[in-house]
Amino acid sequence: MAAGKGTGKASLLQNERIRFIVCFLGVFICYFYYGILQETITRGDYGQGEKKEKFRYATTLVFIQCIINAVFARILIQFFEGSKQDHTKSWLYALCSLSYLGAMVSSNSALQYVNYPTQVLGKSCKPIPVMILGVTILRKKYPMAKYLCVLLIVSGVALFLYKPNKASSAGGDHVFGFGEMLLLLSLTLDGLTGVSQDHMRARFQTGANHMMLNVNLWSTLVLGLLVLWTGEVWDFLSFTDRHPGIFYNIMLFGLTSALGQTFIFMTVVYFGPLTCSIITTTRKFFTILGSVLLFGNVMSGMQWVGTILVFLGLGLDAKFGKVPKKTTH
């Protein structure tokens, strides 16, 4: 009887649907709070009167975030995967780290040239380069239903976010400027990150925690050299000396990031980077939808159409969008 109960519990934990639900909820909850903390840290006012100032040390913040992520992953490996060996090549982790950091820097820099809805709209198309580069570089084959699901989800998010009156007033006369080029670069680097993660999974069976640890170690090295070279780290330390209360939010920010990344890398390892990008794109949609509902904003007809498309895409993907298992040659 005891053996039967143990087997039942193990099969429950290994159930693909339950694992997917855990990954989805983990990403959603962690990054919802992560977004609130990010807004609090980066957009808050510090000091009073003439001494009031803003937080302008985004690179150092990401540097601290990567350190906490790496420490968190190391602890998970120590307690849960002590005997498991990682055979993934270091240069793959380095390339994945560079593309990951490049995508973040390009996306954040784009905000200097385009408005926030345009930036979110661009990043919501992340599943497209992941799929395109997966097909062209890794020769990966997806069922036609997967293409339809990705198209529906991305279209739904785009329709939900699109506001013609705001776009026309903020967009200016240009059609494709420097900001849009940065977003295109960011999406391309997102795709390359997905390709390298897919290659690691297929060739080396890389575990989620090992992937998280090594990508963040390389990111810490790159960002550490960058903040030392620019001198930003010393300005950041001076800022925290003037406003020590910010440390609490930064530590919470790092912790939610580490937990969120754990679920993201779990999703990448168990379901692939395309599914991960669909989850993160949908998470943005639900975050915005939750904001609309919480603050009582009226949704337009176009936004309701976008909502229906996203739910339709998710339902179809759960039913028909599974990627067939690859046989080893």
Side-chain angles (χ1 to χ4, degrees):
M1 290 291 289
K5 286 183 180 178
T7 306
K9 188 176 288 186
S11 63
L12 184 68
L13 292 173
Q14 292 170 4
N15 184 285
E16 191 170 314
R17 288 186 180 180
I18 293 176
R19 187 182 282 166
F20 179 82
I21 291 169
V22 168
C23 288
F24 180 85
L25 290 177
V27 171
F28 180 84
I29 294 170
C30 289
Y31 279 103
F32 185 84
Y33 190 40
Y34 168 92
I36 294 173
L37 289 167
Q38 186 179 43
E39 185 105 17
T40 303
I41 293 168
T42 59
R43 298 183 67 86
D45 292 320
Y46 299 88
Q48 294 180 343
E50 294 181 357
K51 293 184 177 181
K52 187 181 292 185
E53 55 183 326
K54 292 282 188 180
F55 184 89
R56 305 185 187 280
Y57 313 102
T59 306
T60 307
L61 184 65
V62 176
F63 172 60
I64 295 171
Q65 180 183 343
C66 289
I67 293 174
I68 295 174
N69 289 342
V71 171
F72 194 81
R74 179 71 259 181
I75 292 171
L76 289 176
I77 291 171
Q78 186 68 35
F79 281 94
F80 299 106
E81 302 180 27
S83 59
K84 187 177 180 181
Q85 295 295 315
D86 179 31
H87 303 288
T88 310
K89 304 295 183 184
S90 294
W91 63 268
L92 269 175
Y93 284 131
L95 284 179
C96 185
S97 170
L98 288 174
S99 60
Y100 168 71
L101 287 176
M104 284 201 301
V105 171
S106 302
S107 177
N108 291 332
S109 300
L111 285 172
Q112 299 177 29
Y113 306 96
V114 298
N115 56 28
Y116 183 71
T118 303
Q119 192 250 25
V120 175
L121 175 63
K123 292 296 284 184
S124 71
C125 298
K126 184 178 176 180
I128 296 176
V130 171
M131 179 178 283
I132 291 173
L133 291 176
V135 170
T136 56
I137 296 178
L138 296 181
R139 306 297 180 189
K140 194 167 185 179
K141 293 183 179 180
Y142 297 100
M144 286 304 298
K146 180 69 80 172
Y147 291 92
L148 176 62
C149 296
V150 171
L151 180 62
L152 285 172
I153 292 169
V154 171
S155 300
V157 175
L159 283 174
F160 186 86
L161 291 173
Y162 182 61
K163 296 179 177 65
N165 57 334
K166 290 189 177 181
S168 59
S169 62
D173 296 326
H174 72 278
V175 178
F176 195 83
F178 188 60
E180 287 79 5
M181 289 176 64
L182 285 171
L183 283 176
L184 182 60
L185 174 62
S186 178
L187 286 170
T188 304
L189 290 170
D190 279 331
L192 289 172
T193 302
V195 166
S196 61
Q197 289 172 336
D198 242 348
H199 182 70
M200 284 188 271
R201 291 172 63 238
R203 184 73 182 273
F204 302 101
Q205 291 77 51
T206 310
N209 295 327
H210 284 284
M211 190 183 292
M212 179 178 172
L213 170 66
N214 287 280
V215 168
N216 279 287
L217 283 177
W218 279 101
S219 300
T220 299
L221 176 62
V222 173
L223 289 174
L225 292 173
L226 184 61
V227 295
L228 284 172
W229 181 60
T230 60
E232 182 182 301
V233 65
W234 311 119
D235 295 331
F236 168 79
L237 291 174
S238 177
F239 180 89
T240 55
D241 187 54
R242 295 191 298 274
H243 311 287
I246 196 176
F247 269 119
Y248 177 74
N249 282 337
I250 289 177
M251 289 301 105
L252 277 179
F253 175 77
L255 183 60
T256 54
S257 169
L259 285 169
Q261 272 210 8
T262 301
F263 288 111
I264 279 183
F265 280 107
M266 279 175 61
T267 307
V268 168
V269 167
Y270 292 127
F271 303 100
L274 179 62
T275 301
C276 182
S277 61
I278 290 172
I279 288 176
T280 54
T281 298
T282 308
R283 187 268 306 173
K284 292 178 185 177
F285 171 82
F286 279 112
T287 301
I288 295 169
L289 180 61
S291 175
V292 169
L293 295 175
L294 285 172
F295 292 99
N297 296 317
V298 178
M299 285 177 63
S300 66
M302 187 178 290
Q303 287 176 320
W304 280 116
V305 172
T307 304
I308 293 168
L309 286 178
V310 169
F311 279 105
L312 181 61
L314 284 172
L316 289 173
D317 185 58
K319 184 73 176 174
F320 305 108
K322 293 185 183 297
V323 180
K325 301 284 185 183
K326 275 183 85 174
T327 54
T328 307
H329 298 288

